[in-house]
Amino acid sequence: MTSQTLTRRSLQTRLALAYAAGIYAAGTFVLIFVNVPLASIHMATPKGPSSSGTIIEAGPGISLPQLLTGSAVALVILIPVALALGWYVAGRFLHPLRAITTTAKIISAGNLHRRLDLGEPADELTELGHTLDDLFARLQASFDAQRHFVANASHELRTPLAGLRTLLEVALADPDADAEDLRSICREALALGEHQERLLQALLALATSERGITRWDTLDLTQIVAGVLASRRDQATETGIDLAEHLTPAVTAGDPRLIESLVANLIDNAIRHNRPDGHVKITTQTSGTEVALTVTNSGPVIPDNQIQRLFQPFQKLAPNRRGHRDGYGLGLAIVNAVTQAHHATLTASARPEGGLSITVRFAHGAHPHHP
């Protein structure tokens, strides 16, 4: 007999005893309230015939010993009745709980698509079942996303490794390779290594963002944006992208390193997925209890139904997007993870003339637990 069965039966036993005690107490009170009036009632009995009819003479009613004997017998009979009723009622109340336990065991074994579906009646146990159904749905979505992420990450990491191995095998198989050929192969190998390094850094940034916030510092988005823009101007000039900013003080709280990663990925994405002679506009502003960072860029026209997909790991649009070879489909996923970690809100919309407009809204001022 398992410990779960013992616990379940112990709970049913306790509930049954509690219900039986209530039933027995109620029966006792009923007998008391019935017996006390009966003890004072005198029974009318016929004495004998007369000319006017039957002579009625009042005599003693039910005697006290009879009442006590009958009450004792009733109380003895009530014991098994109360226990049986208590056990039945406890079992009925615990039936949804048993269904929850049984289904939860099956779901924990790997069938995350299963649900409790308790239905009616609507009570505390049904509410618990709905809460667990929501939990199982979130767990299923999380496991599916994790499997999808691992599969894509494995593919992205395998590609440069396979290219590097092929490059080295070709070099070793060529007996006539001179120093210049070997230098060229080394340069290609270094390029593949840098590709892997950037991919690993992006994966680490994504994992760090999804882990959550470990520090809350008061910071100004304007300073972070200005620093990132200063490091990206040469890249934008080389690609013919015009960077414009309208920065006003925007004080919020969060992890400076993660927020800098968010800003850098937004700007990098806007530069990378743009068109020749395009533009990128970055604004920061404070409005009431929120501070907003908005990055707007020109670029190819993006269907509205494809926008949310871009914020999932390893998701890219059409391969003819400019500069697609330099991206991994992780930039906006990192932005989304950092946004959720800071309890901020993210909105994205496609511009009719092409490109995206992305706004991240943070809470204004210091974190409530870190004034």
Side-chain angles (χ1 to χ4, degrees):
M1 184 178 294
T2 63
S3 59
Q4 290 85 351
T5 304
L6 287 173
T7 303
R8 186 186 68 189
R9 291 187 177 179
S10 176
L11 178 59
Q12 184 171 0
T13 301
R14 293 198 299 269
L15 288 175
L17 290 175
Y19 295 146
I23 296 172
Y24 195 79
T28 302
F29 281 118
V30 169
L31 287 175
I32 292 174
F33 287 128
V34 170
N35 286 344
V36 171
L38 286 178
S40 61
I41 294 177
H42 293 279
M43 182 177 61
T45 59
K47 185 66 175 175
S50 65
S51 59
S52 61
T54 304
I55 297 175
I56 305 298
E57 179 179 290
I62 302 175
S63 64
L64 184 60
Q66 290 176 326
L67 285 175
L68 293 177
T69 303
S71 299
V73 172
L75 290 176
V76 171
I77 296 175
L78 185 60
I79 292 175
V81 174
L83 289 173
L85 287 175
W87 185 265
Y88 174 77
V89 173
R92 293 291 296 176
F93 279 135
L94 290 177
H95 178 72
L97 186 60
R98 292 173 180 172
I100 291 174
T101 304
T102 302
T103 309
K105 288 178 181 179
I106 298 174
I107 293 175
S108 63
N111 298 324
L112 289 175
H113 64 279
R114 289 283 300 273
R115 296 293 180 268
L116 299 175
D117 296 328
L118 292 182
E120 298 296 336
D123 53 21
E124 288 81 359
L125 289 176
T126 306
E127 183 179 357
L128 173 61
H130 294 332
T131 303
L132 290 175
D133 281 340
D134 293 339
L135 174 61
F136 292 142
R138 291 194 298 271
L139 284 175
Q140 182 182 11
S142 177
F143 276 101
D144 290 343
Q146 184 182 37
R147 284 192 290 265
H148 184 68
F149 176 83
V150 170
N152 285 317
S154 301
H155 174 73
E156 294 289 338
L157 289 170
R158 189 185 301 114
T159 300
L161 286 174
L164 179 61
R165 178 173 182 173
T166 301
L167 188 67
L168 295 177
E169 287 177 347
V170 170
L172 291 174
D174 186 4
D176 301 325
D178 55 14
E180 184 60 31
D181 292 335
L182 294 177
R183 289 193 182 92
S184 176
I185 292 172
C186 288
R187 285 191 292 268
E188 293 184 27
L190 287 175
L192 288 173
E194 292 174 356
H195 176 88
Q196 289 179 278
E197 184 179 359
R198 290 193 299 270
L199 176 58
L200 289 174
Q201 288 176 347
L203 290 172
L204 180 61
L206 179 61
T208 304
S209 304
E210 292 178 338
R211 185 180 59 192
I213 304 299
T214 57
R215 55 181 292 188
W216 289 88
D217 296 340
T218 302
L219 50 89
D220 190 347
L221 283 177
T222 302
Q223 298 178 359
I224 295 178
V225 173
V228 174
L229 285 175
S231 64
R232 300 305 196 271
R233 290 196 181 278
D234 291 342
Q235 176 187 356
T237 301
E238 292 176 359
T239 55
I241 305 298
D242 176 49
L243 289 181
E245 71 266 17
H246 180 70
L247 307 179
T248 59
V251 178
T252 185
D255 189 324
R257 184 170 52 86
L258 291 181
I259 292 182
E260 182 180 1
S261 175
L262 177 144
V263 174
N265 278 284
L266 280 176
I267 296 176
D268 287 342
N269 186 78
I271 294 174
R272 181 179 297 117
H273 304 300
N274 214 308
R275 56 176 172 78
D277 301 324
H279 67 273
V280 177
K281 183 178 180 180
I282 303 98
T283 62
T284 59
Q285 60 181 352
T286 301
S287 176
T289 59
E290 293 181 337
V291 297
L293 165 67
T294 301
V295 178
T296 304
N297 64 279
S298 57
V301 176
I302 301 175
D304 290 334
N305 59 359
Q306 296 293 313
I307 293 177
Q308 293 303 318
R309 187 170 66 85
L310 293 176
F311 292 93
Q312 301 301 318
F314 302 107
Q315 296 297 314
K316 305 175 186 178
L317 290 181
N320 60 356
R321 293 183 73 192
R322 186 172 180 268
H324 71 283
R325 292 183 179 179
D326 297 328
Y328 308 103
L330 290 173
L332 293 183
I334 294 173
V335 170
N336 187 43
V338 175
T339 300
Q340 293 181 2
H342 285 82
H343 308 292
T345 58
L346 185 151
T347 57
S349 59
R351 304 172 71 237
E353 62 273 26
L356 278 174
S357 178
I358 300 176
T359 301
V360 182
R361 292 181 174 84
F362 298 89
H364 177 53
H367 190 259
H369 300 298
H370 296 76

